[in-house]
Amino acid sequence: MVKRILFVCLGNICRSPAAEGIFNQKIKERDSENFFVVDSAGTGSWHVGNLPDRRMRATALSRGIELTSRSRQIEENDLYEFDHILVMDKDNLDAVKSLIKDDMNPVNSKIKLILSYSKNSQLDEVPDPYYGGQDGFEKVLDLLNDAIDELIDNLID
Ligand code: 4NP
């Protein structure tokens, strides 16, 4: 059975496209591409249609990961379409959960902080790198790299 994975952040131009790129690279390395559908979205709409932030693209490319997705805003239907919705921070968590209607209770358990999968980090949120320096983008990739290894182990079991 194909598992459908959605990564979510605020703008869908930094953290969630990076998570999508890392996830895609890792399942390719494991010859497991056919078992997954992967996408990302933002809770906000400011950057809809745009490529990821050029700083995020350059930082990812320096690690061999090309980010080519276009920003889109999450919509209610995504709560049905995807099996796992992994968010970057607690604001994203609140925003995604605000899309849930009273009669959609089973949806709640699909939505998790991505760093809940991390074994090595004490952080529970992936910090927003948008207004910071280069180190913030590197940190995003380090945190996601670690958490996504665990996530895939979990999903492939
Ligand atoms: P992201 O980062 O949520 O990781 O894509 C941001 C991108 C844009 C903005 C904020 C965060 N913004 O304020 O435009």
Side-chain angles (χ1 to χ4, degrees), residues 8-17 41-43 46-47 53 55-56 71 88-89 92 126-131 137 140:
V8 177
C9 62
L10 176 60
N12 193 211
I13 54 167
C14 296
R15 293 164 294 173
S16 61
T43 59
W46 311 283
H47 300 282
D53 183 284
R55 298 164 295 174
M56 190 79 258
S71 174
M88 302 296 136
D89 63 34
N92 307 151
V126 181
D128 182 347
Y130 192 68
Y131 292 108
F137 290 88
V140 165

Tab-separated table of all heavy atoms in Angstrom, residues 8-17 41-43 46-47 53 55-56 71 88-89 92 126-131 137 140, ligand 1:
chain	number	residue	atom	x	y	z
A	8	VAL	N	4.508	20.091	6.237
A	8	VAL	CA	3.866	21.416	6.308
A	8	VAL	C	4.711	22.391	7.137
A	8	VAL	O	5.205	22.037	8.206
A	8	VAL	CB	2.456	21.291	6.940
A	8	VAL	CG1	1.806	22.665	7.076
A	8	VAL	CG2	1.562	20.370	6.108
A	9	CYS	N	4.873	23.623	6.599
A	9	CYS	CA	5.452	24.717	7.385
A	9	CYS	C	4.606	25.964	7.136
A	9	CYS	O	3.462	25.846	6.679
A	9	CYS	CB	6.930	24.942	7.045
A	9	CYS	SG	7.259	25.410	5.336
A	10	LEU	N	5.163	27.140	7.423
A	10	LEU	CA	4.374	28.366	7.261
A	10	LEU	C	4.302	28.801	5.790
A	10	LEU	O	3.221	28.936	5.218
A	10	LEU	CB	4.992	29.464	8.136
A	10	LEU	CG	4.386	30.857	8.054
A	10	LEU	CD1	2.916	30.860	8.456
A	10	LEU	CD2	5.170	31.827	8.950
A	11	GLY	N	5.463	29.007	5.176
A	11	GLY	CA	5.485	29.579	3.830
A	11	GLY	C	5.606	28.568	2.704
A	11	GLY	O	5.427	28.903	1.542
A	12	ASN	N	5.962	27.327	3.047
A	12	ASN	CA	6.242	26.276	2.056
A	12	ASN	C	7.344	26.700	1.070
A	12	ASN	O	7.320	26.354	-0.098
A	12	ASN	CB	4.978	25.859	1.297
A	12	ASN	CG	5.123	24.574	0.475
A	12	ASN	OD1	4.480	24.415	-0.554
A	12	ASN	ND2	5.960	23.657	0.908
A	13	ILE	N	8.315	27.487	1.601
A	13	ILE	CA	9.475	27.813	0.756
A	13	ILE	C	10.804	27.488	1.442
A	13	ILE	O	11.850	27.595	0.798
A	13	ILE	CB	9.489	29.294	0.299
A	13	ILE	CG1	9.384	30.241	1.488
A	13	ILE	CG2	8.394	29.555	-0.733
A	13	ILE	CD1	9.707	31.691	1.120
A	14	CYS	N	10.781	27.141	2.724
A	14	CYS	CA	12.046	26.794	3.407
A	14	CYS	C	11.990	25.386	3.999
A	14	CYS	O	12.554	24.440	3.435
A	14	CYS	CB	12.370	27.811	4.512
A	14	CYS	SG	12.677	29.483	3.898
A	15	ARG	N	11.330	25.226	5.132
A	15	ARG	CA	11.439	23.967	5.882
A	15	ARG	C	10.719	22.796	5.221
A	15	ARG	O	11.297	21.707	5.081
A	15	ARG	CB	10.911	24.167	7.320
A	15	ARG	CG	11.785	25.097	8.154
A	15	ARG	CD	11.069	25.578	9.394
A	15	ARG	NE	9.935	26.441	9.073
A	15	ARG	CZ	9.062	26.898	9.948
A	15	ARG	NH1	9.163	26.556	11.225
A	15	ARG	NH2	8.079	27.697	9.560
A	16	SER	N	9.452	22.984	4.822
A	16	SER	CA	8.733	21.808	4.295
A	16	SER	C	9.224	21.360	2.914
A	16	SER	O	9.277	20.146	2.660
A	16	SER	CB	7.209	21.993	4.335
A	16	SER	OG	6.782	23.073	3.566
A	17	PRO	N	9.639	22.275	2.009
A	17	PRO	CA	10.235	21.773	0.765
A	17	PRO	C	11.549	21.039	1.021
A	17	PRO	O	11.877	20.064	0.328
A	17	PRO	CB	10.487	23.031	-0.081
A	17	PRO	CG	9.814	24.137	0.602
A	17	PRO	CD	9.478	23.734	2.001
A	41	ALA	N	3.338	21.609	1.800
A	41	ALA	CA	2.396	22.734	1.695
A	41	ALA	C	2.680	23.711	2.824
A	41	ALA	O	3.337	23.370	3.815
A	41	ALA	CB	0.954	22.228	1.784
A	42	GLY	N	2.154	24.934	2.669
A	42	GLY	CA	2.291	25.953	3.712
A	42	GLY	C	0.945	26.273	4.327
A	42	GLY	O	-0.096	26.088	3.688
A	43	THR	N	0.977	26.746	5.567
A	43	THR	CA	-0.292	27.189	6.167
A	43	THR	C	-0.651	28.580	5.656
A	43	THR	O	-1.809	28.978	5.689
A	43	THR	CB	-0.204	27.186	7.709
A	43	THR	OG1	0.850	28.063	8.110
A	43	THR	CG2	0.066	25.789	8.232
A	46	TRP	N	1.318	33.461	1.110
A	46	TRP	CA	2.114	34.558	0.527
A	46	TRP	C	2.990	34.116	-0.634
A	46	TRP	O	3.271	34.890	-1.530
A	46	TRP	CB	3.041	35.188	1.581
A	46	TRP	CG	2.376	35.526	2.844
A	46	TRP	CD1	1.568	36.608	3.067
A	46	TRP	CD2	2.419	34.780	4.069
A	46	TRP	NE1	1.108	36.566	4.362
A	46	TRP	CE2	1.616	35.475	4.995
A	46	TRP	CE3	3.055	33.608	4.465
A	46	TRP	CZ2	1.422	35.019	6.294
A	46	TRP	CZ3	2.879	33.154	5.757
A	46	TRP	CH2	2.074	33.858	6.658
A	47	HIS	N	3.471	32.908	-0.600
A	47	HIS	CA	4.485	32.494	-1.578
A	47	HIS	C	3.959	31.486	-2.600
A	47	HIS	O	4.747	30.843	-3.304
A	47	HIS	CB	5.696	31.909	-0.853
A	47	HIS	CG	6.330	32.889	0.084
A	47	HIS	ND1	7.158	33.903	-0.332
A	47	HIS	CD2	6.216	33.034	1.429
A	47	HIS	CE1	7.542	34.624	0.700
A	47	HIS	NE2	6.980	34.113	1.783
A	53	ASP	N	12.837	29.191	-1.263
A	53	ASP	CA	13.757	30.306	-1.011
A	53	ASP	C	15.152	29.962	-1.559
A	53	ASP	O	15.635	28.842	-1.374
A	53	ASP	CB	13.810	30.497	0.514
A	53	ASP	CG	14.671	31.656	0.922
A	53	ASP	OD1	15.909	31.511	0.875
A	53	ASP	OD2	14.115	32.693	1.295
A	55	ARG	N	18.075	30.711	-0.651
A	55	ARG	CA	19.063	30.305	0.371
A	55	ARG	C	18.853	28.838	0.751
A	55	ARG	O	19.804	28.086	0.940
A	55	ARG	CB	18.930	31.195	1.613
A	55	ARG	CG	19.212	32.672	1.339
A	55	ARG	CD	18.701	33.534	2.469
A	55	ARG	NE	17.235	33.471	2.583
A	55	ARG	CZ	16.531	34.033	3.556
A	55	ARG	NH1	17.146	34.698	4.528
A	55	ARG	NH2	15.212	33.940	3.583
A	56	MET	N	17.582	28.435	0.858
A	56	MET	CA	17.283	27.036	1.181
A	56	MET	C	17.708	26.127	0.036
A	56	MET	O	18.267	25.046	0.255
A	56	MET	CB	15.783	26.880	1.462
A	56	MET	CG	15.380	25.539	2.050
A	56	MET	SD	15.728	25.428	3.820
A	56	MET	CE	17.212	24.453	3.844
A	71	SER	N	5.470	26.376	-4.133
A	71	SER	CA	4.691	26.577	-2.905
A	71	SER	C	3.188	26.485	-3.168
A	71	SER	O	2.687	26.999	-4.165
A	71	SER	CB	5.020	27.954	-2.316
A	71	SER	OG	4.196	28.224	-1.213
A	88	MET	N	6.265	21.420	11.085
A	88	MET	CA	7.582	21.857	11.578
A	88	MET	C	7.535	22.462	12.974
A	88	MET	O	8.484	22.321	13.734
A	88	MET	CB	8.192	22.893	10.604
A	88	MET	CG	8.359	22.376	9.195
A	88	MET	SD	9.545	21.008	9.095
A	88	MET	CE	8.645	19.887	8.021
A	89	ASP	N	6.437	23.175	13.297
A	89	ASP	CA	6.372	23.804	14.621
A	89	ASP	C	4.932	23.810	15.143
A	89	ASP	O	4.001	23.366	14.462
A	89	ASP	CB	7.008	25.206	14.602
A	89	ASP	CG	6.276	26.194	13.690
A	89	ASP	OD1	5.038	26.114	13.569
A	89	ASP	OD2	6.957	27.059	13.099
A	92	ASN	N	2.292	25.717	13.199
A	92	ASN	CA	1.798	24.920	12.057
A	92	ASN	C	0.788	23.886	12.541
A	92	ASN	O	-0.240	23.658	11.900
A	92	ASN	CB	2.916	24.141	11.352
A	92	ASN	CG	4.118	24.933	10.918
A	92	ASN	OD1	5.218	24.396	10.844
A	92	ASN	ND2	3.942	26.212	10.631
A	126	VAL	N	11.215	22.704	14.448
A	126	VAL	CA	12.265	23.096	13.500
A	126	VAL	C	12.199	24.619	13.390
A	126	VAL	O	11.192	25.160	12.922
A	126	VAL	CB	12.039	22.461	12.100
A	126	VAL	CG1	13.165	22.875	11.150
A	126	VAL	CG2	11.937	20.940	12.206
A	127	PRO	N	13.261	25.334	13.838
A	127	PRO	CA	13.196	26.805	13.856
A	127	PRO	C	13.045	27.392	12.451
A	127	PRO	O	13.681	26.917	11.507
A	127	PRO	CB	14.537	27.215	14.469
A	127	PRO	CG	15.076	25.999	15.133
A	127	PRO	CD	14.526	24.816	14.367
A	128	ASP	N	12.208	28.420	12.358
A	128	ASP	CA	11.986	29.114	11.086
A	128	ASP	C	13.274	29.861	10.711
A	128	ASP	O	13.720	30.729	11.445
A	128	ASP	CB	10.822	30.101	11.298
A	128	ASP	CG	10.458	30.842	10.045
A	128	ASP	OD1	11.226	30.796	9.064
A	128	ASP	OD2	9.390	31.478	10.050
A	129	PRO	N	13.886	29.536	9.550
A	129	PRO	CA	15.176	30.155	9.193
A	129	PRO	C	15.028	31.462	8.417
A	129	PRO	O	16.017	32.122	8.116
A	129	PRO	CB	15.790	29.086	8.271
A	129	PRO	CG	14.601	28.525	7.552
A	129	PRO	CD	13.460	28.549	8.549
A	130	TYR	N	13.801	31.856	8.085
A	130	TYR	CA	13.554	32.878	7.058
A	130	TYR	C	14.246	34.212	7.349
A	130	TYR	O	14.815	34.827	6.460
A	130	TYR	CB	12.052	33.084	6.895
A	130	TYR	CG	11.665	33.900	5.681
A	130	TYR	CD1	11.858	33.411	4.389
A	130	TYR	CD2	11.101	35.168	5.819
A	130	TYR	CE1	11.491	34.146	3.271
A	130	TYR	CE2	10.728	35.917	4.710
A	130	TYR	CZ	10.931	35.401	3.441
A	130	TYR	OH	10.563	36.135	2.343
A	131	TYR	N	14.200	34.670	8.613
A	131	TYR	CA	14.767	35.988	8.934
A	131	TYR	C	16.164	35.891	9.535
A	131	TYR	O	16.695	36.879	10.025
A	131	TYR	CB	13.817	36.751	9.867
A	131	TYR	CG	12.528	37.130	9.170
A	131	TYR	CD1	11.333	36.482	9.479
A	131	TYR	CD2	12.515	38.116	8.177
A	131	TYR	CE1	10.154	36.813	8.818
A	131	TYR	CE2	11.339	38.444	7.516
A	131	TYR	CZ	10.173	37.787	7.840
A	131	TYR	OH	9.012	38.122	7.182
A	137	PHE	N	19.743	27.813	8.112
A	137	PHE	CA	19.383	26.890	7.021
A	137	PHE	C	20.092	25.550	7.182
A	137	PHE	O	19.523	24.493	6.925
A	137	PHE	CB	19.690	27.538	5.660
A	137	PHE	CG	18.753	28.676	5.348
A	137	PHE	CD1	19.048	29.970	5.766
A	137	PHE	CD2	17.554	28.453	4.692
A	137	PHE	CE1	18.166	31.020	5.530
A	137	PHE	CE2	16.672	29.495	4.434
A	137	PHE	CZ	16.979	30.778	4.866
A	140	VAL	N	18.288	23.629	9.921
A	140	VAL	CA	17.051	23.012	9.414
A	140	VAL	C	17.371	21.670	8.760
A	140	VAL	O	16.722	20.648	9.033
A	140	VAL	CB	16.334	23.947	8.403
A	140	VAL	CG1	15.269	23.201	7.608
A	140	VAL	CG2	15.723	25.143	9.124
B	1	4NP	P1	8.981	28.357	5.965
B	1	4NP	O1	9.713	29.771	6.206
B	1	4NP	O2	7.716	28.398	6.789
B	1	4NP	O3	9.978	27.377	6.494
B	1	4NP	O4	8.736	28.267	4.487
B	1	4NP	C1	9.086	31.002	6.012
B	1	4NP	C2	8.961	31.516	4.746
B	1	4NP	C3	8.394	32.764	4.565
B	1	4NP	C4	7.950	33.474	5.660
B	1	4NP	C5	8.068	32.958	6.927
B	1	4NP	C6	8.639	31.716	7.103
B	1	4NP	N1	7.381	34.763	5.483
B	1	4NP	O5	7.107	35.443	6.490
B	1	4NP	O6	7.185	35.202	4.328
